[in-house]
């Protein structure tokens, strides 16, 4: 047995060193492969449009280093697998899916369900299940990719920056493929997928008396950019798109599911001037309680903020004024969470998901009610409690605009 193993190792070494693996197995150089980094899925009549962004590695001129060369390609097919296979009809390099970081799916495609399109990525042995999933609102995934690449930027790097910065405002989030698939297969929980939007920047105002400048402004189209704002919410049974939560409503959802990292809350001082508070820490507990057969659920949020900016001249650092600011931020957070709850009740989808909390805390009760959960969900009595505090004032302890009397 030992002799056989030694002979096998010797033959394998000769096989590699002689380059026979290239002749027999068809091994290719790293420069002969395209590595897919970002994927876009769109609806094209009765077919799927597949857009892939690839990076090929090739030597730079007069150096031994390699550089990234980004390209994107588009095909169509009845399924994602078929569309992917069509790439072989015009691409001479092998496509490798093991480097996929981001998957973009258009709003029009998920209106009829998301589960079908995740099957390919879950089943394919090359695709990483930690790839981040996004839904593109109004525009197609191809348009989003083309917008960034045509501007000279790297779409994969752009999405990475958006993902890394999402916690600064906490109006969206990150959902990998495996997590999205897990929630889609649970018929009691609604799914949420981060939302990408293309927004147009406003044109600069021009002097109406200058006809030439006004004409130039009209000829120049508004610049567009990609932003990560909000969530697309999906039905738990069909995985069909039911609506969007954006802006502060999306932040309210993040408060409810305990995914707040940071953010900005603007309140007013006693004179009506703006005071900016930075969210430092937030923690929310979902507390279910049964009163007989009636379910009551309380969202209890604890919040800490710092004073980041003061626009007025009023001295805020009195007990009375601090309490005024705290009261305002409590009401603001409470309103945002309630808006997320109202959205869930309107569409009858448990997006938080409360069903998981009830199942953990009342397993016996859950077995009796789980088949009627969607009906029970609409009858829940919801309470929202916010307990916040203001901790620090950064480098100043009084308003910059304050003036001494006299």
């Amino acid at each position: 047995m030992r002799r056989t193993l030694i002979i096998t190792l010797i033959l394998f070494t000769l096989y590699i060193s002689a380059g026979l693996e290239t002749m027999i197995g068809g091994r290719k150089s790293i420069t002969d492969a395209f590595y897919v980094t970002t994927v876009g899925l769109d609806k094209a009549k009765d077919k799927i449009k597949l857009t892939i962004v690839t990076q090929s590695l090739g030597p730079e001129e007069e150096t031994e280093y390699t550089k990234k060369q980004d390209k994107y390609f588009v095909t169509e097919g009845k399924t994602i697998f078929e569309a992917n296979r069509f790439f072989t009809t015009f691409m001479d390099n092998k496509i490798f899916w093991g480097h996929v970081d981001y998957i973009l799916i258009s709003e029009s495609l998920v209106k009829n369900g998301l589960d079908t399109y995740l099957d390919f990525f879950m089943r394919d042995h090359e695709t990483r299940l930690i790839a981040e999933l996004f839904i593109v609102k109004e525009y197609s995934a191809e348009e989003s990719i083309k917008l960034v690449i045509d501007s000279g930027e790297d779409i994969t790097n752009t999405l990475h920056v958006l993902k890394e910065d999402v916690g600064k405002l906490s109006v969206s989030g990150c959902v990998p493929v495996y997590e999205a698939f897990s929630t889609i297969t649970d018929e009691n929980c609604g799914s949420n997928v981060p939302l990408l939007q293309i927004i147009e920047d406003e044109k600069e105002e021009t002097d109406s008396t200058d006809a030439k400048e006004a004409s130039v402004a009209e000829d120049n189209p508004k610049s567009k950019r990609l932003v990560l704002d909000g969530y697309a919410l999906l039905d738990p049974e069909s995985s069909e798109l039911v609506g969007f939560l954006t802006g502060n409503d999306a932040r309210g959802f993040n408060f409810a599911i305990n995914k707040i990292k940071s953010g900005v809350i603007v309140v007013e001082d006693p004179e009506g001037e703006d005071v900016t508070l930075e969210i430092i820490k937030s923690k929310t507990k979902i507390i279910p309680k049964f009163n007989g057969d009636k379910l009551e659920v309380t969202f209890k949020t604890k919040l800490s903020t710092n004073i980041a900016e003061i626009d007025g001249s009023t001295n805020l650092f009195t007990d009375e004024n601090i309490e005024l600011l705290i009261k305002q931020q409590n009401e603001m957070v409470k309103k945002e969470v309630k808006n997320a709850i109202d959205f869930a009740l309107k569409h009858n989808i448990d997006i938080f998901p409360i069903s998981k909390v009830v199942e953990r805390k009342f397993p016996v009760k859950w077995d009796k009610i789980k088949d009627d959960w969607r009906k029970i969900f609409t009858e829940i009595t919801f309470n929202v409690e916010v307990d916040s505090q203001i901790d620090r004032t950064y480098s100043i302890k009084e308003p910059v605009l304050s003036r001494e009397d006299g």
Side-chain angles (χ1 to χ4, degrees):
M1 180 66 183
R2 184 177 179 183
R3 182 179 178 184
T4 303
L5 179 61
I6 293 174
I7 293 174
T8 302
L9 289 173
I10 292 173
L11 291 174
F12 180 75
T13 302
L14 291 173
Y15 170 78
I16 296 297
S17 62
L20 293 176
E21 81 286 358
T22 301
M23 298 171 56
I24 301 173
R27 189 184 72 171
K28 291 192 176 184
S29 167
I30 190 173
T31 58
D32 295 329
F34 278 140
Y35 296 89
V36 181
T37 56
T38 298
V39 179
L41 298 177
D42 294 302
K43 187 176 180 64
K45 295 184 179 179
D46 59 341
K47 292 186 177 181
I48 304 274
K49 181 186 289 186
L50 176 62
T51 304
I52 60 172
V53 179
T54 67
Q55 292 180 344
S56 60
L57 300 179
E60 292 182 346
E61 295 181 359
E62 301 179 356
T63 71
E64 296 180 354
Y65 297 97
T66 60
K67 65 178 180 180
K68 296 178 180 179
Q69 301 169 327
D70 296 340
K71 299 180 181 179
Y72 72 93
F73 304 89
V74 183
T75 61
E76 294 181 7
K78 289 185 177 179
T79 64
I80 301 174
F81 186 89
E82 184 181 55
N84 179 44
R85 188 56 60 89
F86 281 143
F87 283 123
T88 62
T89 63
F90 62 90
M91 294 176 66
D92 55 349
N93 288 13
K94 175 179 173 56
I95 299 175
F96 180 63
W97 286 74
H99 287 202
V100 174
D101 289 321
Y102 303 104
I103 301 169
L104 280 57
I105 304 180
S106 64
E107 172 188 347
S108 60
L109 196 61
V110 297
K111 282 184 176 178
N112 297 323
L114 176 64
D115 50 357
T116 302
Y117 310 112
L118 289 186
D119 185 82
F120 171 82
F121 300 100
M122 294 294 297
R123 200 176 297 277
D124 186 78
H125 67 282
E126 288 185 352
T127 308
R128 296 186 300 172
L129 300 185
I130 60 172
E132 302 285 348
L133 189 65
F134 299 106
I135 288 177
V136 182
K137 186 178 181 182
E138 295 181 3
Y139 292 84
S140 68
E142 181 189 5
E143 287 176 307
S144 303
I145 292 170
K146 190 173 184 296
L147 171 70
V148 177
I149 291 181
D150 287 354
S151 69
E153 301 294 330
D154 179 350
I155 179 64
T156 306
N157 183 64
T158 297
L159 293 172
H160 178 72
V161 170
L162 291 176
K163 185 191 78 169
E164 290 299 306
D165 289 344
V166 71
K168 293 179 179 179
L169 292 176
S170 295
V171 294
S172 192
C174 301
V175 174
V177 171
Y178 74 87
E179 185 178 322
F181 189 80
S182 176
T183 56
I184 281 176
T185 55
D186 188 333
E187 294 186 354
N188 291 312
C189 302
S191 303
N192 64 85
V193 179
L195 187 65
L196 281 173
Q197 300 188 65
I198 295 177
I199 65 171
E200 295 182 343
D201 292 325
E202 295 295 331
K203 293 179 181 178
E204 293 185 4
E205 294 184 4
T206 59
D207 189 348
S208 60
T209 60
D210 193 333
K212 184 177 180 180
E213 288 186 7
S215 176
V216 170
E218 291 174 0
D219 293 338
N220 292 331
K222 294 181 179 180
S223 61
K224 297 179 179 179
R225 55 193 174 93
L226 205 60
V227 298
L228 182 58
D229 178 19
Y231 293 94
L233 285 306
L234 310 174
D235 185 87
E237 295 179 8
S238 64
S239 80
E240 294 178 358
L241 179 66
V242 296
F244 306 104
L245 276 174
T246 59
N248 286 341
D249 291 346
R251 186 171 70 175
F253 174 60
N254 277 335
F255 271 116
I257 63 174
N258 206 27
K259 285 191 175 181
I260 292 289
K261 293 184 178 179
S262 186
V264 177
I265 298 176
V266 180
V267 294
E268 295 181 351
D269 68 13
E271 302 301 322
E273 299 291 342
D274 289 338
V275 178
T276 304
L277 306 174
E278 180 187 11
I279 299 172
I280 302 302
K281 184 169 59 176
S282 173
K283 184 174 183 179
T284 298
K285 291 183 179 180
I286 300 177
I287 305 172
K289 182 176 69 173
F290 280 95
N291 296 317
D293 291 331
K294 184 68 175 177
L295 179 60
E296 181 178 334
V297 174
T298 300
F299 289 88
K300 186 171 288 188
T301 299
K302 285 193 173 182
L303 177 70
S304 296
T305 60
N306 289 347
I307 296 178
E309 183 180 352
I310 301 172
D311 288 355
S313 59
T314 303
N315 178 20
L316 298 177
F317 305 105
T318 66
D319 291 343
E320 182 180 357
N321 286 341
I322 291 294
E323 285 300 319
L324 174 65
L325 301 183
I326 290 175
K327 182 179 180 181
Q328 290 180 66
Q329 77 176 0
N330 285 351
E331 291 302 317
M332 194 171 295
V333 172
K334 186 181 295 187
K335 180 181 178 181
E336 292 175 4
V337 174
K338 284 184 175 180
N339 286 345
I341 294 172
D342 290 343
F343 177 93
L345 291 173
K346 177 182 177 182
H347 297 283
N348 190 15
I349 54 173
D350 179 9
I351 57 178
F352 301 108
I354 296 168
S355 59
K356 294 297 184 184
V357 183
V358 174
E359 182 180 9
R360 287 194 300 269
K361 192 166 184 179
F362 306 103
V364 176
K365 189 80 170 178
W366 172 251
D367 283 338
K368 297 178 181 179
I369 66 174
K370 61 183 181 181
D371 294 335
D372 298 319
W373 178 245
R374 296 201 73 171
K375 178 178 181 298
I376 292 171
F377 179 77
T378 60
E379 299 172 350
I380 295 175
T381 299
F382 286 98
N383 304 306
V384 180
E385 298 178 5
V386 181
D387 178 16
S388 70
Q389 60 186 31
I390 297 175
D391 291 334
R392 303 179 64 184
T393 64
Y394 294 116
S395 299
I396 58 173
K397 293 185 178 181
E398 62 180 12
V400 174
L401 298 179
S402 64
R403 298 288 186 270
E404 293 184 2
D405 293 337

